[in-house]
Amino acid sequence: MDQEETKNDSPPNSDKDNEVENLKAKIDQLSGELTTIKDSLEKRKSETTTLKILFYTALGVLLFGFIYSNQTLQRAQHSNLEANITALQSQINHNLLSLETKLHEKIIDLETQSSEKPDSSLHNSIKSMNHALSELKPETQTMDELIRKVKKESEELSKLIKNEKYNKNFSPEPVP
């Protein structure tokens, strides 16, 4: 009977052995799958790190490019602004010179007329010129300043002529 019991006992042991073998196979299979998953996760982690590096590098390059182009644009605008200011200054200088030339010609005409006419007509001419300048509406501040300057100088001219005439009449004679 011992042999029979041994025979009866052996089939259940072999079932257990089969179960153990099946479990070992499943564990080995799960272990392999876990290793594959682990390797896949490490690979994805490496890819994610690489993508982050690429992203931040691209972001840095874009930021640098934006700052550089913005600075270059500002320099170009500054140069253009300086050129425009220079052109406007030369235009204003040209306008002032032409106005000064016209006024000088007018003064020369007045001088020639004053030599032909009595002094009162010169004073009347200066007064009418000042009146006309008063009626003139200046377009710019420099033109307004120039008009004021002309008025002031014409009044000084009128006073100077009056004083000169007065000084000629009352100039002291040198004592012999």
Side-chain angles (χ1 to χ4, degrees), residues 80-97:
N80 190 19
L81 185 62
E82 285 179 348
N84 286 343
I85 288 173
T86 304
L88 286 173
Q89 284 177 340
S90 66
Q91 184 180 6
I92 287 172
N93 287 340
H94 176 69
N95 289 345
L96 288 175
L97 286 174

Side-chain angles (χ1 to χ4, degrees), residues 8-9 13 35 44 58 70 89 94 101 115 120 122 144 166:
N8 286 339
D9 283 338
N13 277 340
T35 304
R44 286 186 183 163
N70 190 19
Q89 284 177 340
H94 176 69
T101 305
S115 64
S120 63
L122 175 67
D144 184 43
Y166 178 76

Side-chain angles (χ1 to χ4, degrees), residues 37-102:
I37 291 172
K38 179 181 174 187
D39 291 343
S40 176
L41 284 175
E42 287 178 7
K43 185 178 176 184
R44 286 186 183 163
K45 184 178 178 184
S46 173
E47 288 174 352
T48 304
T49 304
T50 304
L51 286 175
K52 283 181 182 178
I53 290 170
L54 286 173
F55 173 74
Y56 289 123
T57 303
L59 186 64
V61 167
L62 283 174
L63 183 63
F64 175 76
F66 173 74
I67 290 172
Y68 177 76
S69 64
N70 190 19
Q71 189 177 26
T72 303
L73 181 63
Q74 284 180 349
R75 277 192 217 126
Q77 287 175 340
H78 182 67
S79 300
N80 190 19
L81 185 62
E82 285 179 348
N84 286 343
I85 288 173
T86 304
L88 286 173
Q89 284 177 340
S90 66
Q91 184 180 6
I92 287 172
N93 287 340
H94 176 69
N95 289 345
L96 288 175
L97 286 174
S98 83
L99 188 59
E100 184 179 349
T101 305
K102 287 179 184 178

Side-chain angles (χ1 to χ4, degrees), residues 108-162:
I108 290 174
D109 287 343
L110 288 174
E111 284 178 352
T112 56
Q113 289 175 2
S114 69
S115 64
E116 297 170 2
K117 296 181 181 181
D119 288 339
S120 63
S121 65
L122 175 67
H123 296 293
N124 290 337
S125 297
I126 289 175
K127 285 180 184 178
S128 66
M129 181 181 74
N130 283 342
H131 180 68
L133 287 175
S134 297
E135 296 296 318
L136 183 65
K137 294 181 181 177
E139 295 176 1
T140 62
Q141 183 179 1
T142 55
M143 189 179 231
D144 184 43
E145 290 173 4
L146 191 58
I147 289 171
R148 281 193 222 136
K149 183 179 176 184
V150 168
K151 282 183 188 179
K152 180 182 174 186
E153 289 179 358
S154 65
E155 288 173 2
E156 288 176 0
L157 177 65
S158 178
K159 288 178 185 177
L160 181 69
I161 291 173
K162 284 181 183 178

